[in-house]
Amino acid sequence: MKFLEYQVKERFRAAGVPVPDGRVVRTADEAALAAGALGPIAVKAQVPVGGRGKAGGIKLASTPADAKRVAGEILGMTIKGYIVKEVLCETAQEITRELYLGLTLDRDARKPVLILSAQGGMEIEEVAETHPEAIAKLHPDPWRGPLPFEVRDLIFRAGLGPLQAQLTPLVVKLYALARTYDALTIEINPLALTRDGGLVAADGKLEIDENAMFRHKDLHGADDTEEDPLEAEAKRRKLTYVRLDGSIGVIGNGAGLVMNTLDLVQREGGRAANFLDIGGGAKAEVVHSALELLASDPQVKGILINIFGGITRGDEVAHGIIDATRDLRLTLPLVVRMTGTREEEGRRLLEEAGITPAVSATAAARRIVELSRGSAA
């Protein structure tokens, strides 16, 4: 379960984590009233995805008239498939520095990991890639949590020693929240250092492990109506699908193979639009359904199908591809890589239908990236 920003901040506030004053509103007139009460504000789209600022979903307003205008611009816009139905009007902060504090699961270490960075306000993955020295990590014992000396060490390793007195209780409170809500991810980004020297959670994220939802039946997050429409449709079709931010649709069988295919697309200079696993033993109808789903995504400029046949048969997959391209009148570039059980039959069927399978997964990824660039132009 994911939560909207204001829902996360309600929990931060209850736990003693400082957050700006704010109100959730659903009309431009309500935004003007909020600005009248709060003064200069930030008007922030409430959708459960990142990248709101780049999409124009976060704007400043210094007067009630400004607030009415920008709220009118934001309400109703679509951000990564989500229609903005409400905005958070929040007291504008005089920020002098942006930090990052978060917790997630480190599956390799089989422990939670606390992450603190002197560089916030951007995706922590981007910081890890461009400035890895700016990130400090702590793997606390999951039974006893972080000890005081471990937290102090984390803070000093992040180069934030002068803020140790303020950061220590925040780290402890964030860890406690993560335990309380069985969080897969919880983060404050940016954790803002304000002109008066205080630390404020300027934005927040919380995602609860679905396997622990039986312990949180009273919680209401970003409800089903806020779910990504394509992900909701994939659930209805019983497909394992996650929307990503690229333009190349990817279909594979088996999570590992699909992940590997995403990496290949990235290495060849493209970006995947999704993760879609049709699973083992998929019949032609499943392949057809998967292709139909991706073809309905306007962000998709080309589709790569990567199949390794074990219990999945190449001829079944080929029939699904051929039927879908005919029924959907598919005009998007399509590249198929197929190997394994009944590979020869599958490749023959595809070639007879005018689809020449790639000789390798790498070649397939390279080809779809090339074709998609031409399609997008």
Side-chain angles (χ1 to χ4, degrees):
M1 175 185 284
K2 294 180 180 179
F3 294 84
L4 300 173
E5 178 189 0
Y6 79 89
Q7 296 169 327
V8 178
K9 287 182 171 175
E10 288 172 352
R11 286 161 179 81
F12 282 172
R13 183 181 289 107
V17 175
V19 297
D21 291 335
R23 297 179 182 178
V24 178
V25 304
R26 294 174 177 80
T27 69
D29 288 334
E30 290 176 348
L33 291 174
L38 298 170
I41 58 173
V43 182
K44 309 168 81 173
Q46 295 301 285
V47 287
V49 292
R52 293 175 298 164
K54 291 180 181 176
I58 299 177
K59 295 183 178 179
L60 295 174
S62 56
T63 67
D66 283 346
K68 182 174 181 177
R69 177 178 54 79
V70 301
E73 294 170 354
I74 296 172
L75 286 165
M77 69 185 300
T78 300
I79 301 177
K80 296 184 179 178
Y82 293 93
I83 297 173
V84 180
K85 299 176 181 175
E86 52 195 3
V87 294
L88 174 61
C89 296
E90 206 170 58
T91 304
Q93 302 296 303
E94 294 188 68
I95 298 173
T96 60
R97 189 176 184 186
E98 294 183 333
L99 316 177
Y100 173 95
L101 175 61
L103 178 144
T104 189
L105 299 182
D106 185 336
R107 298 187 189 280
D108 290 335
R110 299 181 181 181
K111 289 181 177 179
V113 55
L114 278 160
I115 303 172
L116 178 62
S117 173
Q119 295 191 21
M122 63 182 84
E123 297 291 335
I124 193 64
E125 292 84 359
E126 184 180 345
V127 178
E129 185 174 337
T130 57
H131 300 285
E133 74 285 354
I135 292 178
K137 298 181 180 179
L138 167 63
H139 292 86
D141 183 296
W143 297 108
R144 59 169 167 73
L147 296 174
F149 79 89
E150 293 175 324
V151 174
R152 288 194 294 273
D153 178 64
L154 172 73
I155 294 169
F156 277 89
R157 281 191 287 113
L160 297 170
L163 297 173
Q164 181 257 323
Q166 294 165 272
L167 279 170
T168 297
L170 281 182
V171 174
V172 173
K173 288 172 182 174
L174 195 79
Y175 184 85
L177 273 171
R179 290 294 305 271
T180 298
Y181 289 108
D182 294 301
L184 283 175
T185 301
I186 186 168
E187 67 179 21
I188 305 172
N189 187 27
L191 174 58
L193 180 64
T194 58
R195 191 171 298 282
D196 62 4
L199 288 174
V200 176
D203 198 356
K205 178 180 178 182
L206 171 62
E207 181 175 355
I208 294 178
D209 186 345
E210 290 188 2
N211 295 307
M213 286 310 301
F214 69 93
R215 288 200 286 259
H216 305 288
K217 293 179 180 177
D218 57 328
L219 292 180
H220 300 283
D223 63 25
D224 290 341
T225 61
E226 295 294 337
E227 188 174 13
D228 182 288
L230 275 176
E231 293 186 355
E233 177 61 21
K235 280 184 184 176
R236 192 186 68 75
R237 294 171 182 245
K238 302 186 186 308
L239 295 171
T240 303
Y241 171 92
V242 178
R243 186 200 283 270
L244 302 174
D245 61 1
S247 61
I248 296 176
V250 173
I251 296 173
N253 63 320
L257 182 64
V258 181
M259 294 291 287
N260 176 256
T261 307
L262 302 185
D263 289 343
L264 289 174
V265 169
Q266 183 91 15
R267 192 171 71 181
E268 296 300 328
R271 290 184 68 83
N274 66 275
F275 171 104
L276 200 166
D277 176 11
I278 59 173
K283 299 296 185 185
E285 295 78 14
V286 175
V287 178
H288 188 294
S289 179
L291 268 169
E292 187 175 39
L293 181 76
L294 296 197
S296 70
D297 182 354
Q299 300 300 318
V300 170
K301 305 303 179 190
I303 298 174
L304 171 58
I305 300 177
N306 189 7
I307 299 296
F308 182 84
I311 58 174
T312 302
R313 290 169 29 188
D315 57 332
E316 277 285 344
V317 171
H319 279 302
I321 294 171
I322 295 166
D323 291 348
T325 53
R326 180 195 62 227
D327 297 344
L328 301 173
R329 298 181 179 179
L330 193 68
T331 57
L332 290 169
L334 173 68
V335 176
V336 181
R337 179 259 185 170
M338 179 184 293
T339 188
T341 305
R342 297 202 177 181
E343 171 187 346
E344 294 303 320
E345 292 95 324
R347 294 176 68 91
R348 178 177 54 76
L349 288 167
L350 290 172
E351 288 170 354
E352 288 175 356
I355 303 170
T356 303
V359 296
S360 69
T362 299
R366 185 176 303 130
R367 182 64 177 152
I368 193 60
V369 170
E370 293 170 354
L371 292 174
S372 298
R373 284 174 179 156
S375 174

